[in-house]
Amino acid sequence: MSSPNRLSRLPQVLSRWLGYRAGPVPKRPDYIIYLWSFIGAFCGISLIQAVFGQAHYFIERGVPSIVASYGATAVLIYGAIDVPLAQPRALFGGHFLGALTGVCITKLFHLLPTEERFQSLLWLAGSLSCATSIVIMQITGTTHPPAGATALLAAVNSDIRDIGWYYLPVVLLTSTLALAVALIINNIQRRYPSPTKPQPPPAVPGSNSSVGEKDQEIVGAAPV
């Protein structure tokens, strides 16, 4: 027997905006999905740019108005909201781990004796950052494709390299803003986050379990 959803204990006025529904969500026409995908992406990207592009606190620290990889994130969390790659765990975990990986690897390359040598190996720092972040996301179950670009930008984008470790809180705040818009827009006529149901692993041909099941069937069918 499945355990009740913890969100069901909250008042409906709150649980609705956290993705809880007592019953299944009816399928919406395509034009409804297109409309809310457009509105969500427009509002989310606009909010991020307004915060980082207008607040003097971030301007004085040289923070870019938006991390470019969040354009791809908008496609997922506003347009493909049902896929596992678009869920909050992947959004936060993927971008944060990608940023952390990129900054760490870039800092190690900065230990090279000269800036010229660092610039000549910038391609290697970027490649290692992206590739390593993919594996880390796979291990932690936080795969979010745009986060590969988040790791890459930490190495190859000069503006992001300049802010160094400050890139991490910037990414966390950006993810928070993007998620806040997603929770509001996506829950007006759709549902987000989407419930995830673990799928049983596929049966391996010739495995012991499948052989055992066949043996049981043969024994059960044999006359006593």
Side-chain angles (χ1 to χ4, degrees):
M1 183 176 181
S2 59
S3 58
N5 193 315
R6 288 177 294 179
L7 294 178
S8 63
R9 304 172 185 173
L10 299 176
Q12 186 177 3
V13 68
L14 293 178
S15 63
R16 174 182 178 84
W17 305 108
L18 296 176
Y20 174 74
R21 303 291 189 278
V25 178
K27 180 176 174 55
R28 303 297 182 183
D30 287 345
Y31 71 89
I32 292 293
I33 297 175
Y34 303 154
L35 174 64
W36 289 117
S37 297
F38 174 87
I39 294 174
F42 178 83
C43 293
I45 298 299
S46 296
L47 177 60
I48 293 170
Q49 292 186 98
V51 170
F52 290 103
Q54 302 298 324
H56 293 291
Y57 178 84
F58 297 113
I59 295 174
E60 292 170 356
R61 286 161 177 76
V63 177
S65 62
I66 191 169
V67 178
S69 55
Y70 280 88
T73 288
V75 177
L76 288 172
I77 67 171
Y78 304 121
I81 65 176
D82 295 324
V83 301
L85 304 176
Q87 303 311 305
R89 174 187 172 89
L91 169 65
F92 275 92
H95 277 299
F96 181 78
L97 292 174
L100 179 62
T101 303
V103 171
C104 287
I105 291 177
T106 303
K107 290 292 185 182
L108 289 175
F109 274 80
H110 261 301
L111 297 177
L112 292 168
T114 63
E115 179 66 19
E116 181 180 358
R117 184 62 174 161
F118 170 75
Q119 291 293 335
S120 68
L121 291 177
L122 203 56
W123 66 270
L124 181 57
S127 300
L128 282 174
S129 297
C130 183
T132 305
S133 69
I134 292 174
V135 176
I136 292 176
M137 286 187 285
Q138 289 174 327
I139 293 173
T140 58
T142 57
T143 299
H144 187 66
T150 301
L152 178 63
L153 289 169
V156 303
N157 186 284
S158 59
D159 292 335
I160 293 178
R161 284 202 311 271
D162 290 342
I163 64 176
W165 295 110
Y166 198 63
Y167 187 39
L168 302 182
V170 167
V171 163
L172 284 176
L173 178 56
T174 305
S175 296
T176 301
L177 295 173
L179 178 63
V181 174
L183 291 176
I184 296 173
I185 300 298
N186 293 346
N187 282 305
I188 295 177
Q189 286 189 294
R190 298 181 291 174
R191 179 180 185 178
Y192 181 83
S194 298
T196 55
K197 297 181 179 178
Q199 299 295 326
V204 179
S207 64
N208 293 334
S209 60
S210 60
V211 172
E213 291 174 358
K214 291 181 180 178
D215 291 342
Q216 291 176 2
E217 292 176 0
I218 295 175
V219 172
V224 179

